[in-house]
Amino acid sequence: MSPVDSEHLHTLLGTAVESLTPVGGGSICEARRAWLSDGRSVFVKSRAGAPAGFFQAEALGLRRLAAARGGVPVPQVLAHDEQCLVLEWVTTGVPSAAAAERFGRALAATHRHGADVFGSADGPGWIGSLDLPQGPWKTWPELWAYGRLEPYLRAARKAGAVDKRTVAEVEKVIAELPRLAGPDEPPALIHGDLWAGNVLWTETGAFLVDPAAHGGHRETDLAMLTLFGLPHLDRVLAAYDDAWPLAPGWRERLPLHQLHPVLVHAMLFGGSYGAQAGQLARQALRHP
């Protein structure tokens, strides 16, 4: 049962709620559409027993992404508290090649907006239901090693989601990250959990939702899109590279950036993700 009802939303928004309807969404939070007495409809995301700051962190991430001039738009944050997040309603449509090209250019602008640090100094963060260490860190290899790979490898090993060979291979990646990371780049403002389900296609283009926004490496977002697929992905990547050329060898570094989300999936879903983490580690080690 959701902790958020019409009366709760009325208090939060200052507008009466006429109805609440479940909609498709993630497996972690409950997603509903609320119809308001002023004729608007809004998206309501709630989670029973959410950790303190859970929805505040998401609201902050959305606002940071919204501040990027020319970047990918995000839904407007209308309200949030410890139980829920309320966003403007975004009507989805069918992706097109032209929209994908606009998305690629806009994503480059989001990344170019930059961040003050690798990680974040804004308090706790999450990816899905899992804690996301925020740092901050001085370099991207430090962020990736000690804020992403090491803690999730440790948790996956404890849960039995990875075998000894995978543990050894990921540990080798961690040890060699300064060599594997590629050319130094300043912190980019990244979405941080950019799989296809967090890209909403509309008649005017793409919107981003459900961020784990922080200062990171721009190749991380592109690797996530490549890992789980996206309509017209080739158009997105080509437009991105045209707007802000990627460093040589970026395609060979994709497995390095995909390693963390696969460890997250090993923790959340088990199955073959543990073995996939080992495969990605071996691929990453082949390409300095």
Side-chain angles (χ1 to χ4, degrees):
M1 179 71 68
S2 171
V4 176
D5 57 16
S6 295
E7 183 177 349
H8 184 108
L9 291 173
H10 186 182
T11 301
L12 196 60
L13 295 169
T15 305
V17 176
E18 294 187 347
S19 66
L20 276 170
T21 306
V23 296
S27 58
I28 295 164
C29 295
E30 181 177 355
R32 291 177 293 171
R33 186 175 189 175
W35 296 90
L36 307 182
S37 61
D38 61 8
R40 292 180 297 156
S41 66
V42 298
F43 178 79
V44 182
K45 182 176 181 179
S46 59
R47 179 184 174 190
F54 183 81
F55 290 113
Q56 179 180 354
E58 184 171 341
L60 178 60
L62 287 167
R63 287 170 174 147
R64 291 180 69 185
L65 293 171
R69 183 176 181 180
V72 188
V74 300
Q76 182 184 359
V77 177
L78 302 177
H80 65 86
D81 62 13
E82 292 297 329
Q83 287 78 45
C84 71
L85 174 68
V86 184
L87 306 175
E88 70 168 306
W89 182 263
V90 175
T91 301
T92 57
V94 178
S96 67
E101 291 176 0
R102 291 196 298 272
F103 172 48
R105 291 190 292 270
L107 184 60
T110 295
H111 290 166
R112 271 191 184 274
H113 182 76
D116 294 334
V117 295
F118 288 106
S120 173
D122 296 326
W126 288 266
I127 185 164
S129 60
L130 302 180
D131 292 346
L132 188 68
Q134 295 287 73
W137 286 269
K138 293 181 179 179
T139 68
W140 182 77
E142 289 179 354
L143 160 64
W144 208 241
Y146 305 114
R148 299 297 180 264
L149 299 185
E150 193 278 331
Y152 291 88
L153 177 65
R154 179 173 7 102
R157 177 172 53 189
K158 184 176 180 180
V162 292
D163 60 22
K164 291 182 178 179
R165 182 186 179 190
T166 295
V167 170
E169 289 163 336
V170 177
E171 286 178 339
K172 188 173 183 181
V173 170
I174 292 170
E176 297 191 24
L177 255 168
R179 176 181 69 84
L180 300 173
D184 288 342
E185 292 197 357
L189 174 60
I190 70 169
H191 178 281
D193 191 12
L194 195 54
W195 70 289
N198 288 340
V199 180
L200 300 184
W201 296 99
T202 74
E203 290 184 356
T204 59
F207 276 64
L208 298 182
V209 295
D210 296 349
H214 63 279
H217 200 302
R218 59 197 181 116
E219 291 174 7
T220 299
D221 275 350
L222 302 182
M224 189 78 158
L225 290 175
T226 304
L227 178 63
F228 294 115
L230 185 80
H232 306 292
L233 178 60
D234 288 346
R235 296 286 189 99
V236 173
L237 297 176
Y240 184 106
D241 193 46
D242 183 63
W244 187 11
L246 291 152
W250 71 271
R251 288 188 182 274
E252 287 71 30
R253 288 188 294 274
L254 291 179
L256 174 65
H257 291 268
Q258 292 167 346
L259 190 47
H260 172 245
V262 168
L263 286 172
V264 170
H265 277 64
M267 284 297 303
L268 292 175
F269 307 115
S272 63
Y273 288 111
Q276 187 178 4
Q279 294 168 3
L280 290 170
R282 291 191 291 276
Q283 292 172 22
L285 289 165
R286 292 192 201 114
H287 299 286

